[in-house]
Amino acid sequence: MSISILSIKTVCVSFILILFLMTPGCTTTPTESEGTIPVTSIPPATASPSPAPASDSGQSADNVQLSGNVYGLSSDPLQGIDIITFSVSLPSQASAVDLTGMEIVFSATGRDPVTLTRGLKSTTGTFTATRGGNTVTTLHPGDLVEISFPVKTVAGGSSVTIELRPHGKSVVPITRAVPAMIFSTNVLE
């Protein structure tokens, strides 16, 4: 019985201490600079439409777009990354893109650029395009297609450039940095 009385007293004392701490903060009158709230005005609405902001990757409204992160996968984190993977999509108003005619140019710090074409298996010189694990040859608006390709091992701290070159569309440049510390899956920043 003495334990329950002690618990009740502890709760009551804690409650009283909390009240003493909160009461001065709620009843203190603020000084003149603290008592005012700055008012910001809302810019007036204009009748003319403003253009959409340009993308930092050179993507147009009718072009292939990067969707999400670019990943570097590593079979040996002590050496670096050896597979690049990312997803692409098209805006809803865009026309379909034939992936069999698309090229990807990959380069890394201190390396010559390598041109990749679409293939059925990931090998040096080819990339794969899949949706839901199934190989695809065309990218349609609303599709999310995963692009993947092997690369010669790229060490941590290196810079990589990927250029998507869909036939009849604008080139989409993507520049990222490989993190200094490599894990089996890495987000390229």
Side-chain angles (χ1 to χ4, degrees), residues 8-9 15 18 23 32 34 43 71 79 95 108 132 165 176:
I8 293 171
K9 285 182 180 181
F15 183 70
I18 290 171
T23 304
E32 57 213 43
E34 292 178 302
Y71 296 96
Q79 298 297 313
S95 56
R165 296 182 175 181
R176 296 289 189 270

Side-chain angles (χ1 to χ4, degrees), residues 68-163:
N69 291 321
V70 177
Y71 296 96
L73 309 180
S74 177
S75 58
D76 184 358
L78 295 176
Q79 298 297 313
I81 61 169
D82 49 18
I83 295 176
I84 303 287
T85 185
F86 53 89
S87 295
V88 294
S89 63
L90 284 174
S92 60
Q93 73 280 8
S95 56
V97 173
D98 178 13
L99 296 175
T100 60
M102 184 168 86
E103 292 182 340
I104 296 176
V105 178
F106 173 81
S107 61
T109 305
R111 303 244 182 104
D112 291 331
V114 176
T115 301
L116 308 155
T117 57
R118 192 191 147 280
L120 298 177
K121 294 191 321 186
S122 286
T123 61
T124 304
T126 64
F127 68 89
T128 59
T130 59
R131 186 178 72 229
N134 299 314
T135 301
V136 294
T137 59
T138 307
L139 175 62
H140 296 280
D143 288 352
L144 189 63
V145 172
E146 183 177 309
I147 304 291
S148 183
F149 54 91
V151 295
K152 288 184 181 178
T153 304
V154 179
S158 300
S159 177
V160 298
T161 300
I162 304 161
E163 288 184 358

